[in-house]
Amino acid sequence: MPDTIKRRSFLKGSLAATTAIALPMRALAQDVLKMGVVLPSPEADVGWSHTLMEGVRTVQEAYGDTIEVTVLENIAEGPDADRIANGLVAEGNTMLLLGSFGYQNGGIQIAQRRRDVSIIHASGYLTEPNFAPFTAKYWQGTYLMGMAAASLTKSKKIGCVGAFAIPELITSINAFMLGAQSIDPEIEVSVVWVNSWFDPASEQEAAKALISQDVDVIFSNAQDTPSVIAVAEEAGVYAFNLNSSMKEYAPSKYLGVVGTDWGPHFKRLVDAHVAGEFPGGNFWLGMEDDIVYTADWNPDIPADVVSQIEATQAAILDGSFTVFKGPLLDQAGTERVADGVAMTDGEILGMDWHVAGVTSPLPS
């Protein structure tokens, strides 16, 4: 594959914001498509940013010398990210991949001002004709991991180290809890939020805090480092994570991965941009879209539970089983979803409450 990726570190000097008048994409068509990628953490060899770049490489393999990709890594959310995204547009990038929820406000402003620029945005809720957020239905996989966790815990205490208390991560934890309760209703989940996508020291301390409370299975929820997984392995407790496999960091206690493959989705959107038919809108993608998958299951999971997990995954795929279906109670015991009622996609995307069994309160 041709070397068409340019990597740049964050520059303290501001990047020039563009004020160009928007023109139709076809009028700006070029032989080489310029695509800018902004990542919230280093790409590394595992984690969210790594998984995004695997998706970008799928696009590169298809486009070869006709695409030039500029990657900016470890960019904090906020004004710096906004300046950088604007700078990429000023440099002629008509396709942007913005890899974090916190890039949303700056990205939507670019989309409104520059209709010739198409933006793929990681999670969020705002849309424009040229702005398309994407979110994974991680909860489909974390429900299954909850089933596995319930079969292996001896303390009946399982835990989660979470990055930020946003709906995307809250739903993953709630599904983890519901999956565990389907095997053992007495299990509880404790959560520690580190308020960062990339903070190895805080992640390690959070994992150790959970282990000190007798938690013996840990969910590393949106960490971009293997810190939680490695601490769990050293302590002899099971752990799993999102996005990409971290099995090499926990050869004996790795529970598995709820992975994502963004390549096909990114390729479809880039193709649409080139054709002048970019489909702005919110993409909510899961196992049925070949985006979310589970892998690297630990051999310690009992055979009967493996069979239950396989049957549940098949039911999720064929639509006969819905994870978020009532009756669902919140932490205070209040019924949030009535018996037999399935939550809508919009309700799941906006979930800001924990199900009963999650003992840690959400941050205010």
Side-chain angles (χ1 to χ4, degrees):
M1 180 174 63
D3 182 15
T4 56
I5 287 186
K6 295 180 181 178
R7 292 187 180 274
R8 299 208 305 262
S9 301
F10 171 67
L11 302 176
K12 291 185 178 179
S14 83
L15 293 170
T18 179
T19 57
I21 297 173
L23 295 174
M25 193 275 162
R26 292 182 188 276
L28 295 177
Q30 302 172 15
D31 291 336
V32 176
L33 171 64
K34 297 185 70 174
M35 179 176 181
V37 178
V38 185
L39 302 175
S41 57
E43 178 186 350
D45 60 345
V46 293
W48 172 247
S49 290
H50 171 77
T51 304
L52 291 181
M53 284 306 300
E54 287 293 294
V56 171
R57 277 185 273 276
T58 297
V59 176
Q60 286 185 281
E61 289 170 1
Y63 278 80
D65 291 331
T66 65
I67 191 168
E68 178 185 294
V69 180
T70 299
V71 181
L72 291 145
E73 304 173 84
N74 204 24
I75 305 302
E77 297 167 334
D80 289 335
D82 296 347
R83 281 200 304 273
I84 283 169
N86 277 290
L88 287 168
V89 173
E91 292 171 359
N93 291 276
T94 60
M95 189 96 206
L96 295 181
L97 170 60
L98 305 181
S100 185
F101 178 86
Y103 300 155
Q104 177 178 245
N105 290 341
I108 203 77
Q109 290 174 20
I110 292 173
Q112 292 168 345
R113 188 174 63 248
R114 289 288 303 266
R115 295 301 189 190
D116 59 309
V117 175
S118 297
I119 301 175
I120 307 172
H121 187 274
S123 72
Y125 52 88
L126 300 176
T127 62
E128 287 287 338
N130 56 331
F131 189 90
F134 65 93
T135 307
K137 297 180 182 178
Y138 290 113
W139 43 269
Q140 294 176 329
T142 61
Y143 184 96
L144 305 177
M145 288 292 171
M147 297 172 69
S151 74
L152 294 174
T153 178
K154 293 181 171 57
S155 66
K156 296 185 184 292
K157 295 180 179 179
I158 59 181
C160 172
V161 178
F164 288 98
I166 61 174
E168 187 175 348
L169 275 58
I170 293 169
T171 56
S172 296
I173 297 168
N174 286 343
F176 180 45
M177 179 76 263
L178 294 173
Q181 288 176 332
S182 74
I183 301 296
D184 184 347
E186 296 181 1
I187 288 177
E188 296 180 341
V189 171
S190 299
V191 183
V192 178
W193 298 101
V194 295
N195 296 314
S196 175
W197 302 116
F198 187 80
D199 188 343
S202 294
E203 294 159 14
Q204 291 170 11
E205 290 306 310
K208 290 175 182 177
L210 289 170
I211 293 167
S212 72
Q213 300 167 27
D214 295 327
V215 165
D216 56 5
V217 183
I218 299 179
F219 170 20
S220 179
N221 191 0
Q223 273 73 57
D224 238 1
T225 79
S227 301
V228 173
I229 302 299
V231 167
E233 175 76 6
E234 185 177 353
V237 305
Y238 295 96
F240 77 98
N241 66 285
L242 303 182
N243 295 311
S244 66
S245 178
M246 297 185 184
K247 186 176 181 179
E248 65 179 292
Y249 296 95
S252 65
K253 292 295 183 178
Y254 195 59
L255 186 64
V257 61
V258 178
T260 47
D261 177 8
W262 294 114
H265 180 59
F266 291 173
K267 170 66 164 49
R268 284 191 294 270
L269 292 185
V270 172
D271 288 348
H273 168 79
V274 170
E277 301 170 352
F278 189 79
N282 206 321
F283 288 87
W284 186 222
L285 305 168
M287 289 182 172
E288 64 275 21
D289 305 294
D290 294 325
I291 298 295
V292 175
Y293 63 89
T294 58
D296 294 337
W297 291 97
N298 194 292
D300 293 346
I301 303 167
D304 63 324
V305 177
V306 170
S307 296
Q308 292 180 62
I309 290 170
E310 290 174 343
T312 302
Q313 179 165 307
I316 289 172
L317 279 166
D318 67 23
S320 60
F321 175 74
T322 302
V323 169
F324 293 114
K325 188 174 183 178
L328 294 179
L329 307 180
D330 65 18
Q331 290 174 307
T334 302
E335 184 178 82
R336 291 295 193 109
V337 184
D339 188 13
V341 176
M343 294 180 68
T344 65
D345 284 353
E347 290 170 338
I348 296 170
L349 281 166
M351 204 171 206
D352 60 356
W353 52 277
H354 275 316
V355 297
V358 180
T359 61
S360 307
L362 280 166
S364 58

